[in-house]
Each structure stands twice: as C-alpha cells, then as structure tokens.
Amino acid sequence: MNIEHLLSKGIQATPPSFVRGILKAASDPEVISFAGGLPNPVSFPQEDLLNSMEYIVKTYGSSVFQYSITAGLPELRQYIADRYNRIFGLTLTMENIIITTGSQQALDLIGKVLLNKGDGVIVEKPTYLAAIQAFSMHQPVFYPVELTEEGMDPNQLEKALQNPVKFIYAIPDFQNPTGLTYSAKNRERIYEILKDHTVVLIEDDPYGELRFKGERLPYIGAGRLPGSILLGTFSKTVTPGMRTGFIISENKELLTCISIAKEASDLHTNIFSQYLIWDYLKNNDLDLHIAKITELYQKQAHAMMDAMDRYFPPTVTYTKPHGGMFLWVTLPEKISAMSLFPGALAKKVAFVPGDPFYIGVKHANTMRLNYTNADCETIEEGIRRLGDLLKEQSI
Amino acid sequence: MNIEHLLSKGIQATPPSFVRGILKAASDPEVISFAGGLPNPVSFPQEDLLNSMEYIVKTYGSSVFQYSITAGLPELRQYIADRYNRIFGLTLTMENIIITTGSQQALDLIGKVLLNKGDGVIVEKPTYLAAIQAFSMHQPVFYPVELTEEGMDPNQLEKALQNPVKFIYAIPDFQNPTGLTYSAKNRERIYEILKDHTVVLIEDDPYGELRFKGERLPYIGAGRLPGSILLGTFSKTVTPGMRTGFIISENKELLTCISIAKEASDLHTNIFSQYLIWDYLKNNDLDLHIAKITELYQKQAHAMMDAMDRYFPPTVTYTKPHGGMFLWVTLPEKISAMSLFPGALAKKVAFVPGDPFYIGVKHANTMRLNYTNADCETIEEGIRRLGDLLKEQSI
C-alpha cells in the first residue's frame, strides 16, 4: 500500500539524521569513526552500576519495575536540584525538574508545547542536528544566528528577535557541533538583550560537566530569566544507554504543559534507570568520576589537534575546545565536506559533514569531528587518513 | 513570566490525564484504587530479571550502557518476530519491528507521522484516554464509533470512513477501558470493510496475552492489511517500569517515517532494558509466566464481579472480561460517575469516571475499574465502599 498521501506535513518536513543514517557504515569495525557523539566507554562506571542494580532491586523491589509518576523519581530530582544549587548558586527545588527520556525528549516536548506552524525559532548557525529534527516536525521558521568564537552574535540576535519568535535554542558550553563556548561577556550581553523580551531561552547543556580547561561560566538565563529552560543529562557523565535527561525551569506553567506533553509521549521515563542513577550518584563521587573522564578527553582532544597540525594542510582550520566531545573543521572556501565523505569512507574513516547542522545549507566547507570514542593512536591514524584524502583532493 | 500566548495550539488541545492527575490521591496507602492500570507486582519476575542484569553487564559490557540504534536491539526484535509468527502464523522479520519507549510512544510516533490538523481519526467509543491525548496534540477530528459487545459497530465504521480519515485506532482484545473483546465475526467484517480503503488500521494489543477465558482470536489487519500497524508491549507481561513496547508493520514506508520520528523524539529506547528483556525471555518460559499472571487476574476479576453482584444495586451493570485488566460499569442513565468521584475518594476508594474515555462527553454514566493491582479481599472491600456510596446516593 502506498501511503505517501497519508503522511503528515510534519514528518515530510523532518530530515532523517545523517549521523543515524551512517551508523551502520560507521560501526564497521575497520572504520575509524569521528562521526558519532559516543562517550568513551570509560565513562560508564559498570561495576558501580551493577552494585547499584543489585541494591535497588533488593531494597525497593517492585517499585523499580512498576509504572511511576510523569515528572520522575523525587529523590533523583532532589539530587539534581541540590547539585545545580551548589555549583551555580541557584535556588531550585525538585518541583523545578522533570526527568526526560534523554535530552532529546526534552527537545521534542519543548517543540510540542511551544510551536505552531510558522512560529519563529532562533538557533545557532550551525546548531545540533537533532534539535533541527525535533523542531522541524512543527514546521517552524528558523532564524539562524551566527556562532562566533565568543558565542551567538548579539547584533544578529537582536535583529532575529524582531521576528515573531517563540524560543531561542542555544548550547553555550562546548557547543555541538563546533565545540565553542560562549564567553562570560557574551553571556551577559545576551542576558541583557533577552531580559526585555517575552521569549523562552533554552540552554542545552549536555557537555558543561566535561570541561578540561578553564573555569565553568554561569548560565545565561537559569535563575534570572523567568521563562528560561535549562537542559541536562546523565548521558555524558554516567550512561547514555539509559536515556536519562532532565528539564529545569522555574516557570510553573511551562512545566505543567511539558508534563502533559510527556504523559502523551511516553507516560514517564524508565523508572528502573532513575533509581539506578540516583543510587549510583548517592554512593559515588560524581566529580571524581567526571575528573577521570575529562582527563581522558583532554588527551584525546590534544591527540586529534596534534595530528591535524601534522597531517592537514595549513589552509584547513579548526576550533580548540575547552571541553566536551567535538571540534569543528573548516576547509578552504568552496570545498564541500559532503563531497569528501564517500572518499573518507573508502579510506575507512568517518566524520559528519557540516550540512545537516545548518538550515538549508548545501555543500558547506565544514565538518564535525568527535574525539571521545577512540584512543589516541586510533585518532592519529584516522586523522592521517583524512589528511591523505585532503592531499589527494589537492586541498 | 506569563507564557500563555507562547503555548502551541497542540498543547492547548491536549487534555491532561485524569488518571495521572489523581495518581497522588490514589497512591495514599489508605485508598483502595481501581483507577490505575497497574499490573500486579507478581507479574514482575524480579529474581530472574536481577539474574539477567548481572549476566548482561558481565557479558555485553559497555554495549548495554552505550548509545544504540533507533529501531532497537536486533535480537529482541527477532524474538518478537518469532513469537508472533509462531502464535499468529505471520511471516515477520526483525525489519518489521521498531522498539518503542512503551506503547505510549508508539501512539505519539503514529500521530507525528500521519496527522495534520483537521485529519480524521476513527476511535472506539469509548477509547483509551492516553490515545486521545497523544492524537489530540495534532488537533485531528475524531470520529468515535460505538463499541458493542461484539466490537466496533460495522455500520457506524462504514459511515465514519466516508470522512477524510487517516487511521483507525482499535483495541480488539480486552479493550481499555471496557474490557470488551471483538468477536471473530466482527473482526472479519471489519477486515472486509477496510480492505478496500487506503487507511491505516492500528491494532493496539497490550492485553492480548492476558486471556483467562476462551481462545485467542486472529488479528484484523496484521498479515493481511498492508497498511496496518500492530502495537505490543512487555509492560503487562514482564515490567512496565522499563518502558519497552514495539511497533509491528509490514509497510516499509511507514516504518521509515516512524523511525525518523523516533530519532527526533528520543534517539532510541533504553538499550539496557532491551538487553535485559531479551535475556530474560531467552532464559525463561514466558508462556508459563503469563499463565501465572492470568490465573491470578482471573481470580481478581471474579472477586470484583462477585462483590459487585453482592454490593451494587441491580440497576448497575458491568462487562464480563475474558482477560486483560479492566471492566466497565454502567450506572443508571443520567447518573454522572464524575459527580460520584469526590464521594468515593472520601470513602477511600478510587475509580476512573467515563468522561476522559470519550471525545467531548461530560457526566457519562460509566466508570472504569481495574482489578489487577489489589488482592481479592481488598477488591471486595473497595467494591463494598462503592456500593455504600451508590446506596447513599439512592442509586
């Protein structure tokens, strides 16, 4: 049965994920993949998690297997509130927090709650490809604002805000895809611009804990812009496979709507995983665990940068992240990273070409490289292969 | 910040869940709740699951904690295909199956893939309240078709199909909320009607395995209507807390779109839970486990029916389910079950009034009672309290 005429306009407007589309090719064990956003398995505290599993099944019994409440496990939400209050001087309670099925679900829920067809959404240029996916389902109008080394360009932001915009989606720390971090000055400037607008600021912060250089900076909106939403996740610090993220907001009306949208989406997030992560956090030093991860990621990031200095031509530039999982390579003008992709795969190395991180851009001269999921030797070998490809193409 | 003007029309059209709204009241340990749809904790094979947890962490290591593919664990999908092929004579492969974050997510994904504002959706009258929620987000036009003791009324269905309808949502086995099951003859009649229409039939089957009387009947569409979708879940047979459901379809185009919608919704379902349930199923006899559950539920259903015969006035009637988790009570005409609800809570007993199971009906004279999550003595006591309430109200 041909069902094309039955399909919604929303799904027709939603691009498939380039990253998910090449998962099969990239998971060939011979391919060195810089394409995914996979944490290094060292970030999974397997033994500690197994201990927690045994403990929670024996201690909480059927509660860890039964249906549960939509907002999420109160104890885990309290832990999150306490941690953010301690680190950022916020005054959150567990009522400010909804557990989501990964951060991705938070994007889905926000789209559902805020977007009608044609509504404006301000995003960074470039931005996270799966955020474009989640929002595209609602057929909004995207207003991309250039991302500079300092963060979102404030002048372009002011201009974009002249449109009927529902929300701004930003990743201020170790941005995906660029690895860039907003400066303190830029954050303050954006706050000053936004405080007079009735618009929702979404700060997506999956990577902020993964800083290996410099000091953490305050959030732009959390704690002071009343309509702001902060997103977090345990995917990069404990385990992504458990799909446990969270939404933080001090706006009760927004949280009520997000909760209704979540009921309709999956009733609640896996409660076993919530007990598990809560018990793990209670019994282990998360900061110590994160320190181990960032020490590793720093080495891997440097291995990649050193290799690029060695194997890439000087006309190719890249960002120098202070944390997170990605860096962003810029090729000479008019060189399409997408066109290079098949040649890279032939050499058994994968990356994500820039195109899917932009709205309506084809043949961008940029690419995203992930450095967290391969050891330093493998990273060097992968960059060497990419360097060979660039030379063969006379770049 | 007042954000009302920022809210989408979709979320404004989505009713909050009555069941989720009263979860707090219903979870008061003094309240006997027939309101939820909670499986009896006996249906959670805790010891076996703990054994599987230990095994999968030791055997598959980081794979059970890492990001994974959107469609779900191939081994679990193969298990599902094999089981349905064996029981129903289908010819499924794992490519026909997508694992979802509970059955609820399947409803969300189907809405995303098929519905534009104003599109027609045929539902049973009454139908599952969280399906109304999931579809309402897209502002469709609902065409409710009367649910009789035989199933969906075929004449009303034919009439409803004269409208521009995208899909039909049906729960043919032990329907939620009524407990009714479509007869073999009715299934055949519906198949005959639908085979000439280009419309998607969704058969939602969370309860079919829980039959305690009679023989399982064939599906209406699965295996013969090319655009049909079958939904299943491990929530009622293994554990709901792990949020593991699945979509079965033989329509590739539909599955491709559902997969893209799932990428945008939560990337993939909790992979640890998928490994866990697969390993549990591989090492245990599911049919034997289900037999224990249904034996228990049969006793509980009879305890409820016997108590109603004893304590309810003869003007109150109810359905006699052959399986599943619910039965449906009809009060005398013009008696609003919703109006009785506060009095019931005051007597420390909870149910779900009929209203949220209908489109736009207020003060229905019906209520849903769940019999799976209380022992027989508690069920009798709860029904006695409801009987007292009915008497006090001179019903």
Side-chain angles (χ1 to χ4, degrees):
Chain A
M1 185 168 93
N2 187 318
I3 52 130
E4 205 171 322
H5 63 291
L6 295 178
L7 298 178
S8 70
K9 289 171 193 152
I11 193 68
Q12 292 180 65
T14 305
S17 163
F18 183 88
V19 175
R20 304 240 120 211
I22 62 160
L23 267 186
K24 210 170 171 180
S27 69
D28 173 348
E30 285 188 21
V31 169
I32 297 175
S33 179
F34 303 135
L38 301 187
N40 197 303
V42 85
S43 67
F44 314 150
Q46 297 187 34
E47 280 302 312
D48 297 328
L49 287 171
L50 183 55
N51 289 339
S52 285
M53 285 174 202
E54 288 163 353
Y55 180 80
I56 63 171
V57 172
K58 282 171 186 161
T59 309
Y60 305 106
S62 63
S63 302
V64 307
F65 297 109
Q66 186 58 283
Y67 282 114
S68 189
I69 58 172
T70 300
L73 187 70
E75 292 86 346
L76 181 61
R77 289 153 62 210
Q78 188 62 52
Y79 174 95
I80 295 166
D82 292 343
R83 183 170 174 86
Y84 279 75
N85 291 345
R86 193 172 65 245
I87 299 180
F88 295 101
L90 304 177
T91 54
L92 303 170
T93 72
M94 69 164 212
E95 301 297 335
N96 298 123
I97 292 159
I98 293 177
I99 304 292
T100 57
T101 303
S103 256
Q104 186 66 32
Q105 187 185 44
L107 304 178
D108 178 57
L109 298 177
I110 288 165
K112 281 173 170 156
V113 164
L114 295 176
L115 291 181
N116 296 318
K117 184 181 170 180
D119 282 348
V121 172
I122 293 176
V123 293
E124 297 151 336
K125 180 184 177 183
T127 187
Y128 175 46
L129 61 84
I132 297 176
Q133 278 196 301
F135 304 147
S136 289
M137 192 70 73
H138 304 277
Q139 305 169 71
V141 177
F142 287 103
Y143 298 100
V145 169
E146 204 72 42
L147 186 66
T148 73
E149 293 274 336
E150 299 294 307
M152 235 183 210
D153 182 292
N155 297 328
Q156 282 192 28
L157 174 62
E158 278 189 305
K159 207 173 151 199
L161 281 166
Q162 290 167 9
N163 299 293
V165 165
K166 285 285 184 77
F167 64 81
I168 297 142
Y169 174 72
I171 312 165
D173 287 274
F174 323 126
Q175 198 247 12
N176 184 351
T178 61
L180 292 171
T181 295
Y182 292 29
S183 68
K185 196 176 147 198
N186 180 274
R187 285 169 201 245
E188 207 52 32
R189 181 88 174 84
I190 292 177
Y191 166 73
E192 287 296 328
I193 293 169
L194 294 185
K195 74 177 169 40
D196 301 322
H197 282 85
T198 309
V199 65
V200 175
L201 171 66
I202 299 157
E203 293 184 87
D204 190 0
D205 186 27
Y207 314 111
E209 302 265 23
L210 303 181
R211 180 180 280 278
F212 44 70
K213 189 176 171 187
E215 294 293 317
R216 271 191 99 153
L217 296 171
Y219 288 111
I220 299 167
R224 52 182 188 165
L225 285 178
S228 68
I229 293 175
L230 178 59
L231 306 183
T233 179
F234 295 107
S235 288
K236 318 307 192 225
T237 50
V238 185
T239 159
M242 296 282 179
R243 314 303 302 117
T244 312
F246 46 91
I247 291 174
I248 301 176
S249 177
E250 297 189 82
N251 190 300
K252 279 187 187 175
E253 196 178 357
L254 255 179
L255 288 172
T256 301
C257 290
I258 288 169
S259 179
I260 293 171
K262 182 162 170 65
E263 286 171 13
S265 300
D266 66 357
L267 300 184
H268 66 82
T269 291
N270 191 309
I271 187 66
F272 175 85
S273 300
Q274 295 184 59
Y275 270 101
L276 176 65
I277 289 176
W278 168 59
D279 189 74
Y280 166 77
L281 295 170
K282 209 171 46 166
N283 292 300
N284 294 276
D285 185 335
L286 183 61
D287 293 318
L288 201 70
H289 177 64
I290 289 173
K292 281 185 218 160
I293 300 173
T294 51
E295 195 190 335
L296 182 74
Y297 288 2
Q298 181 169 34
K299 278 187 197 142
Q300 294 176 183
H302 280 285
M304 184 170 273
M305 293 190 281
D306 292 347
M308 288 194 294
D309 290 343
R310 197 165 325 140
Y311 298 113
F312 281 11
T315 50
V316 175
T317 60
Y318 59 87
T319 58
K320 292 169 187 66
H322 293 186
M325 303 172 66
F326 305 105
L327 55 77
W328 186 243
V329 173
T330 302
L331 303 169
E333 266 184 64
K334 295 189 185 161
I335 301 292
S336 158
M338 189 61 87
S339 307
L340 292 178
F341 186 76
L345 261 197
K347 286 191 185 299
K348 305 281 184 193
V349 58
F351 59 84
V352 186
D355 295 5
F357 301 103
Y358 299 98
I359 312 297
V361 168
K362 296 260 179 232
H363 298 299
N365 63 330
T366 45
M367 60 170 86
R368 187 188 77 174
L369 299 183
N370 165 269
Y371 50 75
T372 61
N373 194 38
D375 60 42
C376 295
E377 292 69 38
T378 309
I379 286 172
E380 181 177 351
E381 170 59 18
I383 294 295
R384 196 190 57 72
R385 292 182 196 174
L386 275 182
D388 284 351
L389 178 72
L390 295 174
K391 265 171 232 151
E392 284 167 24
Q393 302 284 325
S394 310
I395 292 164
Chain B
M1 184 168 94
N2 187 318
I3 53 129
E4 206 171 324
H5 62 291
L6 294 179
L7 298 178
S8 70
K9 289 170 193 154
I11 193 69
Q12 292 179 65
T14 305
S17 162
F18 184 86
V19 176
R20 304 239 122 212
I22 63 161
L23 267 185
K24 209 170 172 182
S27 70
D28 172 350
E30 285 189 20
V31 170
I32 298 175
S33 179
F34 303 134
L38 301 187
N40 197 303
V42 86
S43 67
F44 313 148
Q46 296 187 34
E47 280 302 311
D48 297 328
L49 287 171
L50 184 54
N51 289 339
S52 284
M53 284 173 202
E54 288 162 355
Y55 180 79
I56 63 171
V57 171
K58 283 170 188 163
T59 309
Y60 306 107
S62 62
S63 302
V64 308
F65 298 109
Q66 187 57 283
Y67 282 113
S68 189
I69 57 173
T70 300
L73 187 69
E75 292 86 346
L76 180 60
R77 289 152 65 208
Q78 189 62 52
Y79 174 95
I80 295 165
D82 291 345
R83 183 170 175 87
Y84 279 74
N85 291 345
R86 192 171 67 244
I87 299 180
F88 296 101
L90 303 177
T91 54
L92 303 170
T93 72
M94 70 163 210
E95 301 296 335
N96 298 122
I97 291 159
I98 293 176
I99 304 293
T100 57
T101 304
S103 258
Q104 186 65 32
Q105 187 185 44
L107 303 178
D108 177 57
L109 299 178
I110 288 165
K112 281 173 171 158
V113 165
L114 295 177
L115 291 182
N116 296 318
K117 185 179 171 182
D119 282 348
V121 172
I122 293 176
V123 293
E124 297 150 335
K125 180 183 177 185
T127 187
Y128 174 45
L129 60 84
I132 297 176
Q133 277 195 302
F135 304 148
S136 289
M137 192 70 73
H138 304 277
Q139 306 170 72
V141 176
F142 287 103
Y143 298 100
V145 169
E146 203 73 42
L147 186 66
T148 74
E149 294 274 337
E150 299 294 308
M152 234 183 211
D153 182 293
N155 298 327
Q156 281 192 28
L157 174 62
E158 278 190 305
K159 207 174 149 196
L161 282 166
Q162 291 167 8
N163 299 294
V165 165
K166 285 285 183 77
F167 63 81
I168 298 142
Y169 174 72
I171 313 164
D173 287 274
F174 324 127
Q175 198 248 9
N176 184 352
T178 63
L180 292 171
T181 296
Y182 291 30
S183 68
K185 197 176 145 197
N186 180 273
R187 286 169 200 244
E188 207 50 34
R189 181 86 174 85
I190 292 177
Y191 166 74
E192 288 296 329
I193 293 169
L194 294 185
K195 75 177 169 40
D196 302 322
H197 283 85
T198 309
V199 66
V200 175
L201 171 67
I202 299 156
E203 293 184 87
D204 189 2
D205 185 27
Y207 314 111
E209 302 265 25
L210 304 180
R211 181 180 279 276
F212 44 70
K213 190 176 170 186
E215 294 292 317
R216 272 191 98 152
L217 296 170
Y219 288 111
I220 298 167
R224 52 181 188 167
L225 284 179
S228 68
I229 293 175
L230 178 59
L231 306 183
T233 178
F234 295 106
S235 288
K236 319 306 192 223
T237 51
V238 186
T239 160
M242 296 280 178
R243 316 302 303 117
T244 313
F246 47 91
I247 292 175
I248 300 176
S249 178
E250 297 190 83
N251 189 300
K252 279 187 187 174
E253 195 177 357
L254 256 179
L255 288 172
T256 300
C257 290
I258 288 170
S259 180
I260 293 171
K262 184 164 169 63
E263 286 171 12
S265 299
D266 66 357
L267 300 184
H268 65 83
T269 291
N270 191 307
I271 187 66
F272 174 84
S273 300
Q274 295 184 59
Y275 270 102
L276 177 65
I277 289 176
W278 169 59
D279 189 75
Y280 166 77
L281 294 169
K282 209 172 45 166
N283 292 301
N284 295 276
D285 185 335
L286 182 62
D287 293 318
L288 202 70
H289 178 65
I290 289 172
K292 281 185 218 161
I293 301 173
T294 51
E295 195 190 336
L296 182 74
Y297 288 1
Q298 181 169 36
K299 279 186 197 144
Q300 294 176 183
H302 280 285
M304 184 170 273
M305 293 191 280
D306 292 348
M308 287 194 294
D309 290 344
R310 198 167 324 140
Y311 298 114
F312 281 11
T315 51
V316 174
T317 60
Y318 59 87
T319 58
K320 292 169 187 66
H322 293 186
M325 304 172 66
F326 305 105
L327 54 76
W328 186 243
V329 174
T330 303
L331 304 169
E333 267 184 62
K334 295 190 185 160
I335 301 292
S336 158
M338 189 62 87
S339 308
L340 291 177
F341 186 76
L345 261 196
K347 286 191 183 302
K348 304 280 183 196
V349 57
F351 58 86
V352 186
D355 294 6
F357 300 103
Y358 299 99
I359 311 298
V361 168
K362 296 261 178 229
H363 299 300
N365 64 330
T366 45
M367 61 170 86
R368 187 189 77 175
L369 299 182
N370 165 269
Y371 51 74
T372 61
N373 193 40
D375 60 42
C376 293
E377 294 68 39
T378 309
I379 287 172
E380 182 178 349
E381 171 60 19
I383 294 295
R384 196 190 57 73
R385 293 182 195 174
L386 275 182
D388 285 351
L389 178 71
L390 295 173
K391 266 170 231 151
E392 285 167 24
Q393 302 283 327
S394 310
I395 292 163

